[in-house]
C-alpha cells in the first residue's frame, strides 16, 4: 500500500457546516440575515465558510470576509466560493481574530468560535468575546452566535468522559448566556438550540469519512494514530457530553 496523498486520512468531507446545524435551520438563518440587506459580513473562525457563502449569495449587495487560522479549511472555502461565482465577493484570510480590526460590519457570524476573540494566553472569557462581537458590529447590526451551553449540569462521571480537564465552569446555562449577551449591548432577537438529531448528524459526519478510511486502510502507517484520535473523539461524545452539552444559536441585534 502506498502512502500517496490520496491515501491519507480524509478530513471533515461529510460535513456541510462545522457545527450541529441542519439545512432547514441554516436556510431560516440566511433568510433572516438577507432580509436586513447587509453590505458586509464578517465570519469569525469561519472554517470553510459555508454559512458565510450562503448569506452573501442571498444578499446580492453584500461582500464577505472569513478569517481563520486553518489554511486547509480556508482553501476549501476559496474553492467553494469560486465554484459558486462568489470569488470576487468573498475573501478568506488566514489570520487570528483576536483584536481584529475588520469591523464594524453589518453582520457578524461566529459559530463555535468565540474563543478566537479571546486572549489565547488566558482562559476562555465569554463576556470578553461578546464585548468583542459588539465592537465588530454596527449599531442595529446583527450577530449570529453559535455557542455551547450546559443543557443540564454535568455529573462528575460525565465530565470525566469529556475532553481532558473538562469542568462545569467552562460553559454557562442558556439563560446566563442570553443575559451576558444583553449585558454586552445586544437584544436577543432570536433564540434557538440544536436538536438531538442535529447533534447526531454533526458528530457522525465529523468522523464518517475517517471511519470509512480506517476500515479500508487498517495497516496504513497513519492508521494507529488516526484510530486513537477518532476513538477518543467519539468517546468524549457518547460517554461524555451527549445530551448534556447544548448548542445555542442566538441572533443578536446591536443596541444603538
Amino acid at each position: 500500500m502506498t502512502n500517496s496523498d490520496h491515501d491519507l486520512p480524509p478530513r471533515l468531507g461529510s460535513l456541510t457546516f462545522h457545527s450541529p446545524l441542519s439545512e432547514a435551520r441554516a436556510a431560516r438563518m440566511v433568510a433572516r440575515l438577507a432580509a436586513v440587506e447587509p453590505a458586509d459580513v464578517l465570519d469569525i473562525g469561519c472554517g470553510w465558510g459555508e454559512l458565510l457563502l450562503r448569506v452573501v449569495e442571498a444578499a446580492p449587495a453584500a461582500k464577505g470576509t472569513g478569517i481563520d487560522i486553518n489554511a486547509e479549511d480556508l482553501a476549501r472555502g476559496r474553492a467553494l466560493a469560486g465554484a459558486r461565482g462568489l470569488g470576487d465577493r468573498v475573501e478568506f484570510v488566514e489570520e487570528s481574530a483576536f483584536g481584529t480590526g475588520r469591523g464594524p460590519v453589518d453582520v457578524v457570524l461566529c459559530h463555535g468560535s468565540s474563543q478566537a476573540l479571546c486572549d489565547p494566553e488566558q482562559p476562555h472569557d465569554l463576556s470578553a468575546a461578546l464585548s468583542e462581537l459588539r465592537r465588530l458590529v454596527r449599531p442595529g447590526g446583527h450577530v449570529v452566535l453559535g455557542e455551547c451551553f450546559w443543557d443540564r449540569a454535568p455529573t462528575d462521571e460525565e465530565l470525566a468522559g469529556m475532553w481532558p480537564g473538562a469542568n462545569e465552569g467552562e460553559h454557562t446555562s442558556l439563560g446566563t448566556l442570553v443575559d451576558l449577551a444583553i449585558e454586552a449591548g445586544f437584544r436577543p432577537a432570536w433564540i434557538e438550540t440544536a436538536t438531538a438529531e442535529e447533534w447526531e448528524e454533526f458528530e457522525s459526519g465529523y468522523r464518517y469519512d475517517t471511519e470509512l478510511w480506517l476500515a479500508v486502510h487498517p495497516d496504513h502507517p497513519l492508521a494507529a494514530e488516526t484510530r486513537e484520535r477518532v476513538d477518543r473523539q467519539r468517546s468524549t461524545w457518547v460517554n461524555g457530553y451527549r445530551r448534556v452539552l447544548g448548542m445555542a444559536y442566538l441572533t443578536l441585534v446591536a443596541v444603538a
Side-chain angles (χ1 to χ4, degrees):
M1 184 177 296
T2 65
N3 192 19
S4 60
D5 287 346
H6 69 270
D7 282 335
L8 296 176
R11 181 176 181 274
L12 307 182
S14 287
L15 289 180
T16 301
F17 304 101
H18 200 171
S19 62
L21 179 64
S22 66
E23 287 283 348
R25 190 185 306 279
R28 293 191 295 268
M29 284 181 183
V30 169
R32 285 196 296 268
L33 294 174
V36 304
E37 300 181 345
D40 37 25
V41 183
L42 175 65
D43 193 346
I44 302 294
C46 64
W48 53 87
E50 179 63 33
L51 193 64
L52 170 65
L53 293 171
R54 294 190 187 197
V55 173
V56 170
E57 195 167 28
K63 291 192 174 182
T65 301
I67 57 177
D68 204 294
I69 58 173
N70 188 298
E72 182 179 348
D73 285 348
L74 292 168
R76 178 177 171 182
R78 294 185 192 105
L80 289 171
R84 299 180 195 181
L86 298 173
D88 61 340
R89 294 175 55 206
V90 180
E91 178 185 21
F92 287 93
V93 183
E94 185 178 353
E95 66 183 28
S96 169
F98 181 55
T100 182
R102 292 189 175 273
V105 296
D106 288 337
V107 169
V108 177
L109 307 174
C110 183
H111 278 206
S113 301
S114 64
Q115 72 279 355
L117 296 166
C118 300
D119 185 343
E121 302 299 321
Q122 300 296 325
H124 180 225
D125 186 337
L126 183 55
S127 293
L130 284 161
S131 294
E132 276 294 278
L133 289 170
R134 179 61 190 85
R135 180 181 69 84
L136 292 171
V137 69
R138 297 186 182 103
H142 289 59
V143 170
V144 179
L145 172 66
E147 186 70 30
C148 287
F149 69 97
W150 293 127
D151 202 37
R152 61 170 173 79
T155 65
D156 289 342
E157 182 179 1
E158 288 164 340
L159 285 170
M162 297 182 196
W163 49 90
N167 65 85
E168 189 174 348
E170 288 184 67
H171 301 290
T172 70
S173 67
L174 177 60
T176 299
L177 172 59
V178 173
D179 289 344
L180 289 173
I182 293 171
E183 290 174 12
F186 293 105
R187 296 304 304 173
W190 203 278
I191 301 170
E192 52 193 320
T193 61
T195 64
E197 181 179 2
E198 285 174 305
W199 269 108
E200 290 175 354
E201 287 283 332
F202 171 66
E203 291 290 344
S204 293
Y206 191 89
R207 284 171 288 276
Y208 180 71
D209 289 339
T210 308
E211 293 287 14
L212 295 183
W213 182 89
L214 283 168
V216 175
H217 301 84
D219 300 318
H220 190 281
L222 296 176
E225 64 182 80
T226 302
R227 189 180 302 111
E228 180 183 1
R229 171 176 56 82
V230 171
D231 288 348
R232 183 173 61 250
Q233 289 172 341
R234 185 193 329 102
S235 180
T236 63
W237 174 50
V238 296
N239 295 313
Y241 60 85
R242 183 174 181 267
R243 299 189 184 277
V244 181
L245 188 65
M247 173 65 80
Y249 296 112
L250 307 183
T251 299
L252 307 170
V253 181
V255 177

